[in-house]
Amino acid sequence: YLERLTLDIERRLGLFLMDRLIWVNPSKPPGPTMWACRERLQLVHSYEPVLWFSSDPARCIADNGRVLRPHSVRHQQLQEKGGEQRDATYGDGAHRLRPGSFSGATEGAIPRNVLQFPHEAGKPAAEFRAAVQASGLPAHGALMPRALARFLIEFLTPPGALVADLFGGWLTTAIEAEVTGRRWVVTERFAQYIAASAWRFKDAPGFHSSFDLVS
């Protein structure tokens, strides 16, 4: 289905696949239950695909400089000693090391396209879930990690850009767009989810809801 979806998005919507990111979730529950745990036909899934498309690759506004990660200790030591001392070629010439390679100081390491973020947990998540349960409203079943939403927003958009989420759910994208200085708009098919998720914004300056968040 994933390959068919990718092809249909390109054919029917005219979008271009920029990359396939892998979100590894170390706290993902074992599944698929039927095929991995009961029938024993599959392995337990530990990742979700994140497909990134662009309407015009030549005008793409993504920038990995906004999501650089700290260099490893080994890389820092390599920089401090002046970079590589070897002159070697690997992969039939596809990769070559020269003396001095990796000696230049950089602001950080470019992230790889395998992202590891655990489920959203802790006191804030528990408080929101408890508030929604007390209100009697149905809660969306999937709570995307805020760290994942923030990474994608900062990588793909500059500050001040408009971030749109067509499947609002818990409004996680909206929250991270707000705190990172982006404008945002969210839609959601089920009004109850929006009413429930509004609890996450109830203390924000200027917040107003047409829903009764108490009863």
Side-chain angles (χ1 to χ4, degrees), residues 71-81 84 86 102:
H71 287 301
S72 65
V73 173
R74 182 177 180 182
H75 189 87
Q76 292 177 3
Q77 293 173 342
L78 182 63
Q79 288 180 322
E80 291 171 356
K81 71 176 186 179
E84 287 286 355
R86 298 173 292 168
F102 306 111

Side-chain angles (χ1 to χ4, degrees), residues 119-132 143 146 170 200:
H119 273 309
E120 190 75 25
K123 184 176 180 180
E127 289 178 346
F128 289 131
R129 289 184 182 276
V132 171
L143 182 58
R146 291 185 60 172
W170 276 99
R200 306 183 81 178

Side-chain angles (χ1 to χ4, degrees), residues 6 12 24-25 32 36 44 60 65 76 99 115 124-125 187 214:
T6 302
R12 298 171 59 180
V24 177
N25 183 356
V44 171
C60 183
Q76 292 177 3
L115 314 173
T187 61
V214 177

Side-chain angles (χ1 to χ4, degrees), residues 32-54:
T33 303
M34 175 59 73
W35 307 114
C37 304
R38 295 181 183 177
E39 298 295 333
R40 305 286 181 169
L41 295 177
Q42 293 185 348
L43 302 179
V44 171
H45 293 182
S46 63
Y47 76 91
E48 298 284 350
V50 180
L51 302 181
W52 166 31
F53 294 87
S54 173

Side-chain angles (χ1 to χ4, degrees), residues 22 45 55 63 86 115 117 146 156 160 176 193 198:
I22 298 298
H45 293 182
S55 58
D63 185 350
R86 298 173 292 168
L115 314 173
F117 297 107
R146 291 185 60 172
L156 300 176
E176 289 305 313
Y193 288 161

